[in-house]
Amino acid sequence: MWPFLIDNLKEIIKELQDFAEKKYNAEEAECPQRAMRLTTANNGMSCHSTSIKQSRTLIDITNEKHVFVRIHMWLVWILSAGARHFIEIFPMSLLDDELNYNFEHQIETEEGFTLVNAKLPVNFNFNWDDSELLSEFSEITEKSATVILRNLKRMLGRDQFRQLLYSCLTGVQVLVRGPKIQRLESLYGLSSLVPRACRRVKAQELEYMDPDTCNFIGVDTTVAVPLPCANVCRLDIILDEHKVGNAKSHIVKWTGMLPAKLPTLLIKIEKSLDNEKLGNSVLKAHFATLQEEWANIAKVVHAMRGRGHRGDLSGLMLSLGAGPQDKKLLDAWSMGLPSNPA
């Protein structure tokens, strides 16, 4: 939608500039501006001496009597054309799995969403768990992602959980090492925070795989893994019988540095998890909405890059509610989008 608006608004601006340029050229031929300025400087009279004393209207500048009517018609057409092509997108994880509606014209997307007519009576089921859709997590069905994330935050503490969260959202590989069930639960909760198109999950590997192969990987404690580094954020899960003293059961090992200003989405997720008034079903819906919002921002920025509007990205990101601190997140999420969105 954004490229459509940009292109058409540029056409409006260009046409107004063309009108103004024709008017200027006609006036310049009749009375050159340089000669007028020299005459004015010498306290003389000029053919424009009266007109420069007051601001000129847009009608006068463009020499177009119905310029405001034309602008109105342009804007009405842009809005109506945009409205005709607007389609609401519902995350499939929030749709009731027993829909009895006619989805004859539905469109499946690579991101795992289905585009449907917004006028259809679509029911939402916020208690439904989408773990059954992913074969990697078929063994865990009793816990939702929001419960897992809240437990992780409680066990890790704010600082280590923030490192893990930042790594998930910005494309740093998350390596979970520990017992099978705890490993699967952690991977499921963390990977649910990014769009499905951006997830490359290897939940039960017999050997380590590099970040180019997957961004979420789980291995047993017997598997050799790299030393902590900036490109891999490792979560070690230790069974109670193997703990020493009062050591934590969950430990994050990552040598990267958090930026001074954290991504906007990360802050929103943290605040939501801390809000005890939000139940798990509400939190699930809230996370799905946030993910959809930021996936759309990433799509728009990605599309503008594909159309060659690199100089417009700062203003575009600002208008969409993103800032420089969100660039790494948007870049990482764009990796799951088509290579040439234009």
Side-chain angles (χ1 to χ4, degrees), residues 64-220:
E64 179 66 29
K65 181 179 179 181
H66 302 293
V67 64
F68 291 107
V69 176
R70 296 176 70 94
I71 293 174
H72 177 75
M73 292 176 64
W74 283 326
L75 295 177
V76 167
W77 180 85
I78 290 174
L79 292 175
S80 62
R84 284 197 302 271
H85 293 281
F86 176 76
I87 301 175
E88 287 195 70
I89 302 177
F90 295 111
M92 287 304 293
S93 60
L94 300 183
L95 288 176
D96 194 329
D97 55 349
E98 295 183 356
L99 292 173
N100 295 318
Y101 310 115
N102 180 14
F103 284 145
E104 182 180 354
H105 302 295
Q106 69 183 25
I107 303 173
E108 299 290 340
T109 70
E110 294 181 358
E111 294 81 12
F113 298 106
T114 301
L115 306 185
V116 296
N117 190 328
K119 295 180 180 179
L120 292 177
V122 180
N123 294 328
F124 289 97
N125 181 3
F126 295 121
N127 295 315
W128 186 69
D129 199 327
D130 63 352
S131 61
E132 64 185 28
L133 295 178
L134 305 172
S135 59
E136 296 91 343
F137 306 118
S138 58
E139 297 182 46
I140 54 169
T141 56
E142 69 281 358
K143 284 187 179 180
S144 70
T146 54
V147 173
I148 294 169
L149 290 170
R150 276 181 159 158
N151 288 341
L152 275 176
K153 190 174 189 301
R154 177 178 52 81
M155 290 183 288
L156 289 171
R158 193 195 73 162
D159 293 339
Q160 287 205 339
F161 182 75
R162 180 172 284 182
Q163 291 179 343
L164 194 59
L165 193 56
Y166 179 80
S167 299
C168 290
L169 297 177
T170 58
V172 176
Q173 186 187 61
V174 174
L175 167 62
V176 181
R177 189 169 181 245
K180 183 177 181 180
I181 297 301
Q182 292 93 324
R183 181 175 74 238
L184 290 176
E185 288 180 352
S186 298
L187 281 172
Y188 172 56
L190 294 169
S191 64
S192 69
L193 293 173
V194 301
R196 188 165 301 170
C198 302
R199 303 175 202 166
R200 302 187 308 280
V201 182
K202 300 292 183 181
Q204 304 184 57
E205 294 304 305
L206 299 178
E207 61 180 13
Y208 171 75
M209 305 176 75
D210 61 53
D212 293 334
T213 305
C214 56
N215 56 346
F216 293 94
I217 180 171
V219 297
D220 190 69

Side-chain angles (χ1 to χ4, degrees), residues 249-265:
S249 60
H250 291 62
I251 302 172
V252 171
K253 297 179 179 179
W254 182 56
T255 62
M257 295 290 293
L258 291 175
K261 193 169 185 179
L262 296 170
T264 307
L265 179 58

Side-chain angles (χ1 to χ4, degrees), residues 52 187 241 254 281 283 296 312 316 339:
I52 62 174
L187 281 172
E241 55 265 30
W254 182 56
S281 60
L283 198 59
N296 285 334
D312 300 331
L316 170 62
S339 58

Side-chain angles (χ1 to χ4, degrees), residues 220-326:
D220 190 69
T221 53
T222 59
V223 176
V225 295
L227 292 173
C229 63
N231 296 325
V232 180
C233 182
R234 196 170 96 198
L235 172 62
D236 287 341
I237 303 175
I238 305 169
L239 289 174
D240 291 339
E241 55 265 30
H242 296 154
K243 285 169 48 178
V244 178
N246 295 324
K248 291 183 177 181
S249 60
H250 291 62
I251 302 172
V252 171
K253 297 179 179 179
W254 182 56
T255 62
M257 295 290 293
L258 291 175
K261 193 169 185 179
L262 296 170
T264 307
L265 179 58
L266 186 150
I267 298 298
K268 290 184 177 182
I269 290 175
E270 279 191 335
K271 288 182 177 179
S272 301
L273 290 171
D274 290 336
N275 191 343
E276 296 180 357
K277 294 181 180 179
L278 297 180
N280 291 320
S281 60
V282 175
L283 198 59
K284 175 183 172 66
H286 180 53
F287 282 174
T289 303
L290 287 175
Q291 187 181 115
E292 182 73 11
E293 175 189 357
W294 283 89
N296 285 334
I297 293 175
K299 290 175 189 175
V300 172
V301 174
H302 185 58
M304 293 300 287
R305 283 178 180 155
R307 296 171 68 91
H309 297 282
R310 296 184 180 274
D312 300 331
L313 293 187
S314 297
L316 170 62
M317 288 172 60
L318 184 63
S319 68
L320 295 173
Q325 71 275 14
D326 302 306

